[in-house]
Amino acid sequence: MRILLGVSGGIAAYKAVLLLRLLREAGHEVRVVPTQAALQFVGAPTWEALSGQPVTTSVFANVDQVEHVALGQGADLVIVAPATADLLARAAAGRADDLLTASLLATHAPVVMAPAMHTEMWEHPATVANVATLKARGVHIIEPAVGRLTGKDSGAGRLPDPEVLMREALAVVSTVTVESPSVESVPAESVPAEQGSGGDLAGLHVVISAGGTREPIDPVRWIGNRSTGRQGVALAAAARARGAQVTLVAANVDVPANEVASAADTVVPVESTAQLRQAVRQAASQADIVIMAAAVADFRPAQAADVKIKKTPGGGPPVIELVENPDVLRELVTDRLRTGQVIVGFAAETGDDAGSVLDHGRAKAQRKGADLLAVNRVGGGAGFGTLDNEVWILDATGTEVAHAAGSKREVADAILTAAVAKQT
Ligand code: CTP
């Protein structure tokens, strides 16, 4: 993996040297981007010798290679350790006044920051707000440890040990690789005849999105929905049990972590629709079957506030302007990122005066153009968060090709069987 290791100016920079070593020993390619202040603590020759790569801090170095965007664009993972209060503030404000902050703006890779500072600075409302802003944008924060700080003081603010940093940072990328679940871990009644590597999905790559996206309003609030992600996780587990290689794009799923981890070969955690779209599209370019089980927010706030929106006396409620999100499923159908790929959508419907659940499902099947659409009834205790589910599986013309009712695992198996039948 190509890792960009940002180091900002704190005494804990020495631990980043050890982190660099560990990452290199694990076979990763690491490009170190210190801030100018970080070089006061550990000099460029140390970073260059241990990373085997040149070290610059300024956006004006190597301009011919447009490094201020190239480094961020080329990274698979960005780790900033230690992240000082100043670095957090600059990143939260979207500044690009040195190579590290410019790279943070230019990257689409997961970003992990490990703050380290004195307790007073860590607890200051400015730092608290900056951390909340960064978290709301999807930055993973490794909480500082409690212990001895630089002077005589001790408290929260210590940079965790390099081994902890490495473990937590690499866990974020992903990609939880686990052994196949044992046969015992799958309820016996729902085990299809073909199991594991010899199953009917052997050799196929299946991408499944699950859960519900969250669109930030401010650092502490979001627009979301009630999806738990159980149906999507059940689909992943069923596909894996039938021999597929499974990538699960998990949006805020409310399912025990061990169940999520054992359901897929690769788990990509996401929060917002923008993150889900990117993760699904990346995985879909290699996928034979893509199943969009996630409840994707149709709208997002036009702007996420950087700081918490406060009540003002007599000010009345805030007006939140919404803009439409891209339709990820529709785009997948239009773009067909891989030839012969089978694309499956979901439709959560309540039915209303204008039509029944199935009427709305048929109209949606034609509108979305997915190869299959699994229509399920929600509301009144059905669908979201319940253990049992009922779906009608329609093709792109709205014609019913299957109907399934039962546990989410049984419904999952029925959907997979319909998807396999669609494969040419
Ligand atoms: N979907 C998507 N991107 C969106 C909205 C929905 O990819 N912005 C996908 C969902 O993952 C699901 C399917 O489209 O597979 C249908 O989602 P649903 O919310 O039922 O449909 P909408 O298109 O949002 O239609 P409406 O809200 O009008 O019912």
Side-chain angles (χ1 to χ4, degrees):
M1 191 161 35
R2 284 163 307 172
I3 298 177
L4 193 157
L5 176 60
V7 185
S8 57
I11 193 117
Y14 77 90
K15 287 191 186 169
V17 176
L18 302 171
L19 174 62
L20 167 60
R21 238 209 154 116
L22 290 175
L23 291 169
R24 294 281 290 141
E25 278 167 6
H28 300 291
E29 194 184 305
V30 186
R31 176 73 191 252
V32 183
V33 181
T35 62
Q36 196 59 46
L39 296 180
Q40 301 278 340
F41 296 91
V42 178
T46 303
W47 301 120
E48 288 186 339
L50 290 178
S51 69
Q53 306 235 28
V55 163
T56 45
T57 61
S58 160
V59 287
F60 297 109
N62 306 325
V63 175
D64 57 325
Q65 289 152 42
V66 203
E67 275 206 321
H68 70 291
V69 286
L71 292 182
Q73 284 171 341
D76 301 308
L77 170 68
V78 178
I79 307 173
V80 183
T84 58
D86 180 63
L87 185 281
L88 295 173
R90 288 192 292 130
R95 299 285 300 268
D97 46 1
D98 62 10
L99 191 57
L100 176 52
T101 47
S103 302
L104 286 170
L105 282 184
T107 193
H108 288 298
V111 176
V112 180
M113 293 190 180
M117 64 199 76
H118 286 277
T119 309
E120 291 81 356
M121 297 170 84
W122 174 242
E123 290 176 351
H124 192 282
T127 306
V128 171
N130 290 332
V131 169
T133 300
L134 292 166
K135 278 186 180 170
R137 290 191 198 133
V139 171
H140 299 267
I141 300 285
I142 300 178
E143 295 289 319
V146 177
R148 176 85 195 275
L149 301 173
T150 314
K152 290 193 178 126
D153 52 343
S154 65
R158 213 177 130 81
L159 189 69
D161 289 339
E163 293 78 11
V164 176
L165 294 175
M166 169 143 138
R167 194 175 60 239
E168 292 205 20
L170 294 183
V172 163
V173 195
S174 69
T175 48
V176 188
T177 306
V178 288
E179 297 303 312
S180 289
S182 65
V183 174
E184 290 78 22
S185 71
V186 179
E189 68 280 6
S190 62
V191 176
E194 306 95 335
Q195 263 280 346
S197 55
D200 60 343
L201 298 183
L204 297 183
H205 182 195
V206 179
V207 174
I208 297 163
S209 70
T213 58
R214 290 179 182 171
E215 307 301 323
I217 296 173
D218 69 11
V220 293
R221 304 179 180 99
W222 67 81
I223 297 176
N225 60 66
R226 292 183 192 279
S227 175
T228 59
R230 283 202 207 108
Q231 183 64 71
V233 173
L235 272 160
R240 194 156 196 250
R242 288 163 69 159
Q245 186 210 327
V246 179
T247 299
L248 179 65
V249 177
N252 313 297
V253 297
D254 186 13
V255 177
N258 59 339
E259 265 183 56
V260 176
S262 62
D265 300 87
T266 303
V267 179
V268 187
V270 296
E271 288 200 14
S272 64
T273 300
Q275 291 168 353
L276 176 136
R277 176 174 177 266
Q278 192 195 340
V280 166
R281 289 181 68 85
Q282 190 170 334
S285 61
Q286 308 294 326
D288 301 289
I289 299 175
V290 183
I291 306 179
M292 282 291 296
V296 181
D298 291 326
F299 301 98
R300 66 177 188 279
Q303 235 158 7
D306 283 345
V307 292
K308 189 180 167 193
I309 299 172
K310 306 288 281 181
K311 288 196 290 286
T312 49
V319 174
I320 298 170
E321 192 198 336
L322 300 179
V323 292
E324 195 164 346
N325 271 329
D327 187 326
V328 182
L329 177 63
R330 188 87 202 91
E331 285 181 348
L332 288 171
V333 171
T334 314
D335 299 350
R336 291 280 166 183
L337 297 169
R338 190 165 181 201
T339 327
Q341 180 175 79
V342 175
I343 300 174
V344 184
F346 264 77
E349 301 293 344
T350 58
D352 56 22
D353 292 347
S356 67
V357 168
L358 254 186
D359 292 337
H360 284 296
R362 284 199 191 95
K364 194 170 284 179
Q366 290 163 6
R367 202 169 66 236
K368 297 268 181 180
D371 302 303
L372 294 171
L373 189 76
V375 182
N376 73 322
R377 187 195 304 276
V378 291
F384 287 154
T386 59
L387 287 173
D388 286 328
N389 214 355
E390 179 175 21
V391 301
W392 291 265
I393 304 170
L394 311 180
D395 67 14
T397 66
T399 307
E400 186 176 326
V401 295
H403 170 258
S407 68
K408 292 198 169 175
R409 178 60 177 259
E410 285 163 335
V411 166
D413 273 316
I415 293 169
L416 290 170
T417 300
V420 173
K422 274 271 161 200
Q423 283 236 305
T424 46

